[in-house]
Amino acid sequence: MPGSTTSARLLSGLLIGAGVAHFVAPRQFDAMVPRSLPGSPRTWTHLSGLAEIAVGAAVAHPRTRGAGALAAAGLFAAVFPANVKMAYDWRHRPAPLRAAALARLPLQVPLVLWAARLHADGSAAGPRRASLTRRHSAPSVK
């Protein structure tokens, strides 16, 4: 499944890159944290960055790819409210910034679908790959 391997690498890179950005440039993410959440926005920024890095790592590894892709779909859906908040907060900013904030909203749909497709590919290949490995491996010596 070379196509799904490339797709997994790309999705993993996107997630890990976004997660690292939460630590490198946290202020932009702090501003997206809803004020109704308890604690400091920076804590939520760091937690969400860690989540993206962990999910990206899970997607990268073939054994955890299916579960990681499912987690990625959930993560993409979970950050949608933050993107809505950003679009609302940026409604009075210059047109290019408003457009960028609004463009994030429909972008979530293909991201969720991409992760869901990778999950389906990983789930379909997982058990089959495991059974092939068992069949073709050397017998265990006891």
Side-chain angles (χ1 to χ4, degrees):
M1 259 188 240
S4 67
T5 300
T6 300
S7 181
R9 286 182 183 150
L10 290 170
L11 181 59
S12 175
L14 174 80
L15 286 160
I16 292 171
V20 168
H22 283 69
F23 293 93
V24 173
R27 287 182 56 186
Q28 66 182 1
F29 297 101
D30 292 348
M32 295 170 63
V33 175
R35 297 186 206 324
S36 60
L37 290 175
S40 76
R42 183 62 49 94
T43 299
W44 289 102
T45 294
H46 287 160
L47 288 173
S48 61
L50 282 173
E52 287 182 327
I53 292 168
V55 169
V59 169
H61 195 282
R63 286 183 178 246
T64 56
R65 183 164 298 148
L70 186 60
L75 186 62
F76 291 138
V79 300
F80 185 74
N83 291 335
V84 170
K85 180 186 182 310
M86 181 183 176
Y88 179 79
D89 289 349
W90 286 24
R91 68 191 181 282
H92 300 299
R93 297 237 176 146
L97 293 176
R98 274 195 324 264
L102 288 171
R104 292 176 68 117
L105 299 175
L107 181 61
Q108 294 302 118
V109 173
L111 289 173
V112 170
L113 294 175
W114 180 14
R117 175 66 185 178
L118 196 57
H119 167 70
D121 290 349
S123 295
R128 185 178 41 189
R129 187 176 301 137
S131 68
L132 286 173
T133 303
R134 280 193 299 271
R135 246 185 278 153
H136 296 291
S137 61
S140 61
V141 178
K142 294 188 181 193

